[in-house]
Amino acid sequence: MWDRVVGTQPDPPSWLALVTGAIAVAVVLYRPTWRPLRTVVTIAHEGGHAMVALLMGRRLSGIRLHSDTSGVTVSVGKPTGLGMVFTAMAGYITPSILGAGGAALLAGAHITMVLWVALVLLALMFIAIRNWFGALVLLVTAGVILAISWLASARIQAAFAYLLVWFLLVSGVRPVLELQQMRSRGRAPWSDADQLADLTRIPGAFWVAFFGLVSAAALGIGAGSLLT
């Protein structure tokens, strides 16, 4: 099993990256599919908050995922300073960074590793989950990835891994656009961007632009890795 996880797999057909990329774009742009799958982005978003909070020496109190695709991560520590700034900063950029990291692994033919890294991250997040819906979402997501990595053929595993990575890359951009739309209508007074504005005295619009720049850069870098 260890050799399988850390080893490399045969390169998939050259068309697979293009097809899965097109599917990911369609899924993200089409509202009926985006609505339920946005929860995957929320998992990465809240996981990013939690991971950085721990790295900054904060104590993680818990994570909640909600049926409206929102989520919240609570950590305990100094309410100001770099630790809190980096914790608040992490959410919107984590899906894109994970996607870029997954693209780098796929470029190195580590298809199985992509799936098992996802499983490990989900397992770590499960320890911190604090509501039943969040626990159910993590179990279902992990169950799908585990079943594909354990039971599916190499071709199916490759297609799923590419689709997952493309989805993270593409879906990292849309929540940033949605955030700015909500802020412009006064519907997101406690958003990550506005919390960062309070912490740093830098306008929230700057932080939205920062989120968008990181997401777009990760998409470009990840797409280059997947398509070359």
Side-chain angles (χ1 to χ4, degrees):
M1 175 57 67
W2 178 254
D3 291 340
R4 180 183 175 188
V5 171
V6 301
T8 59
Q9 287 72 46
D11 289 332
S14 57
W15 52 262
L16 185 67
L18 287 172
V19 171
T20 51
I23 293 173
V25 171
V27 165
V28 171
L29 292 179
Y30 186 51
R31 187 176 180 83
T33 53
W34 169 245
R35 174 69 180 178
L37 289 177
R38 195 184 191 284
T39 301
V40 176
V41 183
T42 304
I43 292 173
H45 180 114
E46 300 304 331
H49 282 313
M51 179 173 58
V52 174
L54 292 173
L55 290 174
M56 292 292 104
R58 301 178 63 82
R59 180 169 60 85
L60 185 61
S61 179
I63 303 170
R64 291 177 178 269
L65 304 175
H66 303 136
S67 58
D68 63 354
T69 73
S70 66
V72 61
T73 299
V74 179
S75 61
V76 179
K78 187 179 178 181
T80 58
L82 284 178
M84 192 61 202
V85 170
F86 282 116
T87 298
M89 188 191 302
Y92 276 97
I93 63 176
T94 296
S96 299
I97 291 174
L98 289 176
L105 289 177
L106 291 179
H110 293 288
I111 295 171
T112 303
M113 186 180 292
V114 168
L115 302 178
W116 279 84
V117 166
L119 286 172
V120 169
L121 293 176
L122 289 170
L124 292 174
M125 189 171 177
F126 187 82
I127 298 172
I129 207 72
R130 294 294 181 268
N131 66 327
W132 285 107
F133 179 80
L136 177 62
V137 167
L138 291 183
L139 287 173
V140 170
T141 305
V144 170
I145 296 174
L146 179 62
I148 290 175
S149 65
W150 192 265
L151 301 174
S153 66
R155 182 67 62 86
I156 297 299
Q157 288 187 35
F160 182 82
Y162 270 81
L163 184 59
L164 174 62
V165 168
W166 271 117
F167 178 79
L168 289 171
L169 290 169
V170 177
S171 65
V173 177
R174 179 162 179 171
V176 179
L177 300 176
E178 293 175 343
L179 171 63
Q180 184 54 35
Q181 289 178 349
M182 289 190 295
R183 291 184 72 251
S184 66
R185 299 169 185 168
R187 293 171 52 194
W190 298 105
S191 70
D192 292 354
D194 293 288
Q195 291 182 47
L196 284 163
D198 289 338
L199 289 166
T200 64
R201 304 305 178 189
I202 299 174
F206 169 86
W207 293 108
V208 176
F210 172 76
F211 297 154
L213 180 62
V214 173
S215 299
L219 174 58
I221 293 170
S225 298
L226 294 172
L227 296 174
T228 56

